[in-house]
Amino acid sequence: MSGRRQKNQLKLAFGAGSGGEASESWREGTEPFTAGRGTEGPASTDRLMEEVLERENLREALKRVKANKGSPGVDGMTVLQLPGYLAKHWAAHREQLLSGTYRSQPVKRVEIAKPGGGKRKLSVPTVLDRFVQQAVLQVLQRRWDRTFSDSSFGFRPGRSAHQAVALAQKYVAEGYGWVVDIDLEKFFDRVNHDMLMSRVAKRVNDKRGLKLIRAFLEAGVMENALESPSVEGTPQGGPLSPLLSNLFLDDLDRELERRGHRFVRYADDCNIYVRSERAGQRAMESIRAFLTRKLKLKVNESKSGVSRAGQRKFLGFLVGIGRGLKRAIAPESLERLRRRVRERTRRTRGVSLERMVKDLIPYLLGWRNYFGFCQTPSMLRDLDSWIRRRLRCVVWKQWKRGRKRFAELRKRGINRDLAATAAGSTHGPWRLSRSPALSLALSNAALASLGLPRLAPPGTP
């Protein structure tokens, strides 16, 4: 569908009038969050749905849903089909939202692999429900976000995991070198709906909005062609879930602030920084009791604990490492990279070196954008060296026999004697991946010319 046709459809669906005050406040809400904890905006919350349905808010919501892409829900409608659907049916859905009769569809349950192993269940709403949720999110987020703690970083505009790690490192540098690492067991699956809605109701007076939010929470789950009710949890996969989760855990943030703790929270991952192990054990016991009694949440004992900061990973990093209290990449993160590289460079894939490098590029660039935040460039340099050796090793295996290996080395400008020595060697591929012949034939520059990114920053030896 052409861009012009889609714009015409949106005008037909949403109207072409002025966006109103709501659109202006949304643009303000997209700016980086810098203010301290404040109060909600002065706008009344008893006309939430009118603000949600403002034209500019809807246009922005559709833009976000399209940008996020995602798979279809239970009705099979794709993101690309949504504008055409809205052009025909939005007037009816708009009336349902204004009258409080809109009904969400069940979410589709899918499983994805977790970075540390195991499976995580995601709940995929229909694209129409995602669109409506996104429109509600935009209005509520600009009101609620300014009221959240400065120590909360997950799923918030203008805030990032890097900022969370930097604040944790600051606390360690100030002498709070012990960490109380709290991991909530299946948090997104166990949030009590009544408790959550009571918190929403303190901030929203519009009964239609309250009914709509509860409908999204209780939409039901479709799995293996069977529908089951949703009795608890804020299912991961919908746009509203992160904001509702932050609202629920705001009680934890306020309690930690009341007690004067230095802490950093990113979604359901919360670290408290104290000066001693004894203080850490006391904090763990009291916060565990608070979570159990007040929020009906359970601490995952196998993943939680009290340790020196440099011994517990936080968002993929270790903080407070070495004499300079640097931030380093956690061993689990390093092993995950190696595992993903091995998967993409298996000899049995039967693809060329050029194709292997092409498959690695997006993953390595994304990894570098995140973990390049570390302060240990030697780690990145060693990873660069390991990746290049891995590629040379795989190519050597693909060449298989001595005659083929000799010919390929000669083709790449290696002199006859050096090529013959390497091709006739009885050493294994991993050892030969550092041989002069392979290092010259598949040099760093040659691999870089194929587009292989460097993880280490420029100038790192």
Side-chain angles (χ1 to χ4, degrees), residues 65-285:
V65 170
K66 289 168 63 179
N68 291 336
K69 299 179 181 178
S71 60
V74 295
D75 62 355
M77 186 191 304
T78 67
V79 171
L80 294 178
Q81 293 170 325
L82 180 60
Y85 176 86
L86 292 175
K88 294 180 181 179
H89 303 286
W90 178 243
H93 290 310
R94 186 178 191 279
E95 182 57 35
Q96 292 168 358
L97 290 164
L98 286 172
S99 63
T101 58
Y102 179 88
R103 295 188 63 181
S104 59
Q105 297 189 62
V107 295
K108 182 172 70 174
R109 179 62 53 80
V110 297
E111 288 188 341
I112 61 171
K114 295 174 66 173
K119 298 285 186 179
R120 173 184 286 118
K121 290 187 176 182
L122 289 184
S123 301
V124 182
T126 65
V127 291
L128 175 62
D129 284 342
R130 295 208 295 269
F131 167 65
V132 176
Q133 284 193 41
Q134 180 66 36
V136 175
L137 167 69
Q138 291 167 182
V139 174
L140 294 182
Q141 190 165 57
R142 69 170 175 259
R143 290 180 176 177
W144 295 358
D145 192 80
R146 72 191 71 183
T147 72
F148 292 155
S149 171
D150 280 347
S151 297
S152 166
F153 292 87
F155 310 119
R156 297 183 60 188
R159 288 176 166 259
S160 69
H162 286 172
Q163 292 172 333
V165 172
L167 181 58
Q169 185 180 15
K170 174 178 177 289
Y171 289 149
V172 175
E174 291 173 350
Y176 297 85
W178 287 83
V179 60
V180 182
D181 186 356
I182 298 174
D183 184 273
L184 298 177
E185 188 171 292
K186 296 183 178 179
F187 166 72
F188 289 95
D189 298 329
R190 291 184 171 171
V191 171
N192 182 282
H193 286 172
D194 290 336
M195 293 177 66
L196 173 58
M197 288 306 303
S198 71
R199 287 155 175 78
V200 176
K202 291 178 181 178
R203 296 168 178 252
V204 174
N205 295 327
D206 191 328
K207 293 183 179 179
R208 300 163 301 174
L210 292 172
K211 185 177 179 181
L212 179 64
I213 294 171
R214 184 176 280 275
F216 283 131
L217 290 173
E218 300 177 349
V221 176
M222 187 72 72
E223 189 171 15
N224 299 323
L226 297 175
E227 183 178 345
S228 57
S230 301
V231 295
E232 61 181 357
T234 58
Q236 290 176 275
L240 259 179
S241 179
L243 179 64
L244 295 177
S245 300
N246 272 333
L247 175 64
F248 195 77
L249 288 176
D250 190 55
D251 282 26
L252 172 61
D253 297 342
R254 290 178 184 273
E255 179 66 15
L256 292 173
E257 289 175 346
R258 186 186 68 81
R259 299 183 184 192
H261 281 307
R262 288 156 177 79
F263 72 98
V264 184
R265 184 176 66 80
Y266 193 94
D268 58 337
D269 195 352
C270 182
N271 280 5
I272 305 167
Y273 293 88
V274 295
R275 290 189 181 274
S276 69
E277 183 178 13
R278 184 178 179 184
Q281 295 294 351
R282 287 199 305 266
M284 174 64 84
E285 289 302 317

Side-chain angles (χ1 to χ4, degrees), residues 354 395-396 399 402-420 423 437-438 440-442 446:
E354 289 78 9
V395 170
W396 189 251
W399 291 344
R403 183 174 298 179
K404 171 72 171 176
R405 290 168 172 173
F406 178 80
E408 292 291 343
L409 291 173
R410 292 288 291 148
K411 188 190 301 183
R412 288 163 174 76
I414 306 303
N415 69 58
R416 181 178 294 273
D417 290 342
L418 195 57
L438 267 179
L440 290 170
L442 300 174

